[in-house]
Amino acid sequence: MVGDVPGALALAARLRDPLPLSAPPEPKSTPAGTEEARLRQLMDGYFDFVWRSLRRLGLLASDADDATQEVFLVVSRKLPQILVGSERRFLFATALRVASTRRRGLRRRPEDSSETLDDHQHGAPDPERVLQLAQARRELDQIFDGMDLEQRAVFVLFELEELTVPEIASLLGTPVGTVSSRLRAAREHFQAAVKRLHARAAFAGGRS
């Protein structure tokens, strides 16, 4: 999906979750009919989606844990205003705002090689995989840091969450044309950045 740049899709694919990334079904009416039951249903159905989104929007795992709780705290306050069927949209929009605020407010720390996108759900991987994922994460962070957050969100939803452009437009409440233009810009940025990484690696290899 990232065009025909050699290795670009592989770079992104190395950070995909081992489990299928199909979207969870939107919650229907809460059987108990209470706000507490509805909030529990949302946490059970979307906690991992919110945590994963925050990681892919640039937060370290330690920050994503707290940020996920912050997202659901906002949800608990706004729950009566969230229409049934629009929960996932609200959750991602809130995660986007929380990630943006935290990325501005926290001084960027060196990436912890013990943190991978798999740790939250699947336990610590073997040491070799830790190193591979840490390197891939650093490379993606370098690329993503050059994107604005709106482009990054669209890119993450399309390339890593594997949503379609119309699904992303619905999720973000954004026109399809806007999503398409942001995705096009993000992919162009990604392709150019990957070429620079490859050129840098080739140059370093030639000097060794």
Side-chain angles (χ1 to χ4, degrees):
M1 287 183 179
V2 195
D4 57 357
V5 176
L9 184 56
L11 179 64
R14 282 196 292 177
L15 296 185
R16 290 188 178 182
D17 297 316
L19 297 179
L21 292 177
S22 56
E26 292 287 0
K28 296 181 180 168
S29 58
T30 305
T34 66
E35 290 186 6
E36 182 178 354
R38 188 183 180 200
L39 179 60
R40 173 55 56 187
Q41 186 183 48
L42 290 176
M43 291 186 70
D44 289 345
Y46 290 110
F47 191 93
D48 289 333
F49 168 72
V50 171
W51 188 92
R52 189 171 65 237
S53 297
L54 289 163
R55 285 288 280 124
R56 289 171 172 170
L57 290 170
L59 299 187
L60 296 178
S62 54
D63 296 325
D65 290 340
D66 291 339
T68 301
Q69 297 295 337
E70 184 177 342
V71 169
F72 281 101
L73 182 61
V74 173
V75 170
S76 70
R77 294 198 303 263
K78 302 284 189 179
L79 198 58
Q81 304 167 32
I82 304 173
L83 298 176
V84 173
S86 65
E87 292 92 345
R88 195 163 184 251
R89 175 191 298 181
F90 184 90
L91 285 165
F92 188 82
T94 304
L96 193 61
R97 289 194 296 272
V98 169
S100 176
T101 299
R102 284 178 173 262
R103 281 171 62 84
R104 288 197 305 268
L106 295 175
R107 182 170 62 88
R108 187 167 181 81
R109 303 189 297 274
E111 184 72 23
D112 183 351
S113 63
S114 68
E115 292 187 346
T116 75
L117 291 180
D118 295 1
D119 286 348
H120 180 65
Q121 289 182 307
H122 307 289
D126 61 77
E128 183 177 355
R129 181 159 174 76
V130 167
L131 293 175
Q132 291 174 344
L133 289 172
Q135 180 182 356
R137 180 73 195 182
R138 284 193 295 270
E139 290 172 348
L140 277 184
D141 277 343
Q142 291 176 29
I143 295 172
F144 283 161
D145 281 347
M147 295 183 190
D148 65 46
L149 200 57
E150 290 179 336
Q151 289 179 3
R152 181 170 180 160
V154 169
F155 185 89
V156 164
L157 289 171
F158 185 82
E159 295 293 350
L160 299 180
E161 291 292 337
E162 299 182 321
L163 300 185
T164 66
V165 168
E167 287 172 337
I168 296 169
S170 176
L171 182 64
L172 298 180
T174 303
V176 169
T178 301
V179 171
S180 296
S181 63
R182 289 177 183 173
L183 179 60
R184 182 167 54 251
R187 292 173 79 184
E188 289 173 354
H189 174 90
F190 189 87
Q191 290 170 347
V194 168
K195 286 181 178 178
R196 287 195 298 272
L197 285 174
H198 287 175
R200 190 182 309 159
F203 179 74
R207 295 180 60 184
S208 60

